[in-house]
């Protein structure tokens, strides 16, 4: 009978029947272990565990010292008996004891399959050490902080956390990334239960600032963990005033992460944003964020309406969705004094639920630029302006961007309430624009739809035109109400077109409708009580028969 068990470095522990077999066993190396089950025959009571000593020259006595037949007398190299047992069962008992000792795992081999390297079990276990190796209990009562600290300080890269509740007092264990935690165990810290490893089931709340000092540290915790299908991580920001800037989610499952403040009273969660050098509150690039809601975001480089601390280069955003990113903004968001309120660019997607407000932006309140898309029905933009630069649109789609903002309101903005430039498009049906420089503006090949839908589109009391299309721009203004604007009601200029079927145009300080330089305004509108008669000149046409 012979059998083998793998040991360190891929060699084997030979198991031999007799001492004579040991003498003729010449596959020896220094400190090699051999198990012999008997002396003259298997299990005759005189077996043992032998170790080869390459320096020994002791005489062969048949029991304690065995000289291999391949080694000449006087030449070093002997098998030395290290454990004598009277029976084969005793040898097995001794072997079990050796395997159960502190060094036992170093005697047992491991190989994933025939194509992989042979390692000892001890070496394999170092791939993921258990926190219980460092004394953790996991009963929800014992303070396990020291056990986790010791594991991290020992340089363990992957720490297994078995089922249990591990009470800790050091929240920074959750935020460090030198040692990754795995397994089903949970931390218990300041009465909050937070998974040690991946988030695989249900909803997990990460409280700011009770556990995580700011949202980026909570995101750092999540970046080291998977979020399973059907699971959600909520970064919950408590009532208070904070200085948060440059939050940048990067998690591949970012659509399962929400940042939530107080959705009942968002003004209670004040997030001050330093916009120096284009600083933003939240920026997304090549990733997603499931939802943000219940916050009052306030920029710090605004001086007064239309006046900015330009020396600080404060040209950041409250919320930016860049290349390949998307986010949903809940309807309980207040954004104030940020140079750009919400911006989608380079294919970014932003979905805004009804109720969000942007005020006192510099360039634009809601900006879809260079292929970005914003969907923001029933929102508002107020007092957006950078006076010295001639900027300040409430809603702006630009350079191929698109905005859908039905039933929204724009008031007091330094340029246009609703504008579409440079090949862009805007759906502004049922919107209300008042107190802006322009009510609705379409320019440079852009298209703007402002027809009345369930809500009547209105543009009134603007400082120049109610609606103006220029340089090949176009506006669909059917059934809208255009009243009491300082200049003309509808103006089409430079080969632009306005469809006006069913529009009511009254009380404007210039013409009700005016078409110039090959501009065209369609028929079917009602124009009355305007200061100047309806006008067409320089190739312009009014009351034209137009098909949409």
């Amino acid at each position: 009978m012979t059998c083998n068990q793998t040991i360190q470095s891929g060699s084997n522990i030979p198991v031999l029947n007799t001492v004579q077999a040991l003498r003729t066993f010449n596959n020896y190396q220094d400190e090699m272990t051999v198990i012999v089950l008997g002396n003259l025959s298997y299990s005759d009571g005189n077996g043992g565990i032998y170790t080869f000593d390459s320096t020994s020259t002791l005489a062969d006595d048949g029991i304690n010292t065995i000289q291999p037949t391949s080694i000449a007398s006087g030449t070093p190299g002997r098998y030395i008996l290290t454990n004598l047992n009277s029976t084969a069962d005793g040898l097995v008992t001794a072997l079990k004891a050796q395997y159960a000792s502190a060094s036992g795992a170093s005697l047992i081999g491991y190989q994933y399959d025939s194509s992989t390297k042979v390692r000892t079990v001890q070496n394999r276990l170092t791939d993921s050490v258990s926190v219980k190796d460092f004394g953790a209990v996991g009963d929800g009562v014992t303070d396990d902080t020291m056990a986790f600290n010791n594991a991290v300080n020992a340089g363990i890269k992957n720490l297994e956390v078995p089922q249990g509740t591990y009470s800790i007092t050091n929240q920074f264990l959750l935020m460090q990334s030198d040692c990754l935690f795995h397994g089903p165990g949970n931390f218990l810290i300041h009465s909050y239960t937070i998974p040690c490893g991946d988030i695989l089931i249900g909803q997990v709340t990460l409280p700011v600032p009770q556990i995580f000092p700011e949202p980026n540290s909570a995101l750092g915790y999540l970046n080291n963990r998977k979020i399973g299908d059907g699971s959600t991580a909520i970064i919950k920001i408590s009532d208070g005033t904070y200085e948060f800037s440059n939050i940048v989610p990067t998690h591949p499952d970012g659509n399962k992460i929400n940042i939530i403040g107080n959705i009942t009273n968002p003004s209670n969660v004040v997030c001050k944003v330093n916009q120096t050098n284009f600083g933003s509150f939240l920026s997304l690039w090549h990733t997603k964020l499931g939802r943000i809601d219940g916050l009052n975001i306030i920029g710090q480089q605004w001086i007064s309406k239309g006046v900015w601390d330009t020396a600080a280069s404060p040209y950041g955003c409250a919320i930016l969705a860049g290349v390949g990113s998307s986010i949903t903004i809940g309807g309980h968001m207040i954004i104030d004094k940020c140079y750009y309120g919400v911006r989608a660019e380079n294919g970014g997607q932003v979905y805004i639920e009804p109720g969000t407000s942007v005020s006192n932006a510099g360039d634009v309140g809601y900006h879809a630029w260079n292929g970005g898309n914003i969907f923001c029905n029933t929102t508002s933009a107020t007092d957006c302006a950078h006076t010295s630069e001639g900027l300040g649109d409430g809603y702006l789609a630009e350079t191929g961007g698109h905005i859908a903002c039905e039933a929204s309101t724009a008031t007091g903005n330094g340029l246009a309430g609703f504008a579409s430039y440079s090949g862009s498009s805007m759906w502004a049906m049922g919107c209300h624009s008042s107190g802006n420089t322009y009510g609705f503006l379409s320019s440079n090949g852009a298209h703007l739809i402002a027809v009345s839908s369930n809500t009547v589109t209105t543009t009134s009391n603007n400082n120049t035109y109610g609606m103006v299309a220029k340089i090949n721009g176009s506006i669909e203004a059917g059934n809208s109400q255009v009243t009491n604007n300082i200049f003309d009601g509808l103006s089409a200029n430079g080969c632009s077109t306005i469809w006006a079927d069913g529009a009511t145009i009254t009380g404007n300080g210039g013409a009700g409708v005016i078409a110039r330089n090959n501009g065209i305004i369609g028929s079917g509108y009602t124009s009355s009580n305007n200061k100047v008669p309806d006008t067409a000149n320089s190739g312009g046409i009014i009351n034209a028969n137009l098909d949409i």
Side-chain angles (χ1 to χ4, degrees), residues 38 166 253:
Y166 298 83
D253 292 321

Side-chain angles (χ1 to χ4, degrees), residues 245-328:
S245 296
N246 299 316
I247 299 170
V248 184
T250 58
H251 200 289
D253 292 321
N255 59 308
K256 303 171 186 176
I257 299 173
N258 299 335
I259 299 176
I260 305 296
N262 186 332
I263 60 174
T264 302
N265 295 299
S267 59
N268 289 353
V269 186
V270 177
C271 301
K272 295 182 177 180
V273 183
N274 183 352
Q275 292 197 282
T276 299
N277 296 322
F278 299 83
S280 295
F281 177 75
L282 174 69
S283 300
L284 297 169
W285 302 95
H286 301 286
T287 190
K288 299 177 180 179
L289 188 71
R291 185 181 184 83
I292 185 170
D293 201 4
L295 306 179
N296 183 7
I297 303 172
I298 303 176
Q300 298 301 291
Q301 281 64 49
W302 180 91
I303 297 173
S304 61
K305 181 179 177 179
V307 181
W308 292 80
D309 179 11
T310 55
S313 298
Y315 308 119
C317 307
I319 298 174
L320 170 64
V323 179
S325 64
S326 67
I327 182 174
T328 294

